[in-house]
Amino acid sequence: LKAIEYAFQPGFIASDLESAVALLGRAVELDPAFTLAYVRLADAHLQIHWRVFASNERLKMAENAVETASSLDPDLPQVRLARGIFHFYGHRDYDAALSELEAAKQDLPSDPEVNFLIGLVNRRQGRWDAGLANIRKASHLDPRSGLYCLEVGTTLAFMRRYEEARYFVKKSVELAPDQEFAYRVLAQVFWAESGDLVQA
């Protein structure tokens, strides 16, 4: 649980992600059949690969964790989620990612993370309305998540819906005031909307 908290901080801070990897590594040492820990371990490695520093070594560690989870319980929806994340962050294979994530959603329709990741894939595919709808749903399902709220705002900013974007980014800051990335997004919204460099 502590590892999940580290891994899902808005802004994805490298030291927090490394702490998540260490805690999850310890979890699977203590229980080598802990499927959900392997799922989260794969995710933490992939977040580092995607957001901090891409490396074949990190990708291989993620792949090993996904394969172990798949061998332990291949039909578990969270394992399908892990495979979807691996296709997305590991190889930018958006169609394969979406296939796994949609399959996971069949068993986890109210899981905010599944809806969030589907929204991120939609966004990468240029399907902005679908992406916004899925990320909004994630934020609705987990209204205390600064991350999901921030990504609603970020998506609206990409769509040039700046007034709405400002609302959600500010709300994200209220939920998690120590996330520096949200302030960057808010500055970009002011800059893109009106060129207001003082506010930015």
Side-chain angles (χ1 to χ4, degrees), residues 9-14 51-52 150-151 153-154 157-158 162 165-166 169-170 172-173 176-193 196-197 199-200:
Q9 291 297 318
F12 298 96
I13 298 163
R51 300 176 189 282
V52 180
L150 175 61
E151 288 298 342
T154 301
F158 285 145
Y162 298 118
R166 253 196 338 271
V169 177
K170 285 181 176 179
S172 175
V173 168
D178 60 344
Q179 48 167 328
E180 65 87 20
F181 187 72
Y183 294 98
R184 275 199 277 161
V185 174
L186 191 56
Q188 290 167 346
V189 169
F190 280 119
W191 181 35
E193 180 182 16
D196 187 341
L197 298 180
Q199 284 276 46

Side-chain angles (χ1 to χ4, degrees), residues 5-129:
E5 183 70 20
Y6 276 126
F8 276 88
Q9 291 297 318
F12 298 96
I13 298 163
S15 59
D16 285 348
L17 292 169
E18 291 289 3
S19 294
V21 166
L23 287 167
L24 291 161
R26 180 70 180 135
V28 297
E29 279 177 22
L30 291 168
D31 183 357
F34 192 176
T35 307
L36 292 178
Y38 285 106
V39 166
R40 291 299 174 192
L41 182 58
D43 186 19
H45 282 308
L46 288 163
Q47 294 297 342
I48 293 170
H49 175 76
W50 179 260
R51 300 176 189 282
V52 180
F53 180 74
S55 74
N56 290 333
E57 181 184 5
R58 183 68 66 176
L59 196 56
K60 187 64 181 171
M61 289 188 281
E63 184 177 22
N64 290 341
V66 170
E67 287 177 354
T68 302
S70 295
S71 69
L72 288 168
D73 197 342
D75 297 322
L76 192 71
Q78 288 87 349
V79 172
R80 300 209 76 159
L81 172 68
R83 289 197 294 259
I85 296 169
F86 183 73
H87 289 305
F88 181 13
Y89 292 136
H91 297 288
R92 299 182 191 213
D93 185 342
Y94 305 128
D95 291 336
L98 202 54
S99 175
E100 292 286 357
L101 294 169
E102 291 287 4
K105 187 176 179 179
Q106 295 300 311
D107 293 316
L108 302 168
S110 298
D111 185 288
E113 184 183 7
V114 173
N115 286 280
F116 175 66
L117 287 162
I118 289 172
L120 294 185
V121 173
N122 294 151
R123 207 167 69 179
R124 283 271 164 175
Q125 293 173 317
R127 298 172 56 219
W128 295 101
D129 290 330

Side-chain angles (χ1 to χ4, degrees), residues 112 115-116 134-145 147-150 152 168 171 175:
N115 286 280
F116 175 66
N134 280 300
I135 296 168
R136 269 190 197 271
K137 184 173 182 183
S139 186
H140 176 73
L141 291 166
D142 185 358
R144 293 179 298 171
S145 170
L147 172 62
Y148 297 156
C149 192
L150 175 61
V152 171
F168 282 98
K171 186 176 172 186
L175 289 165

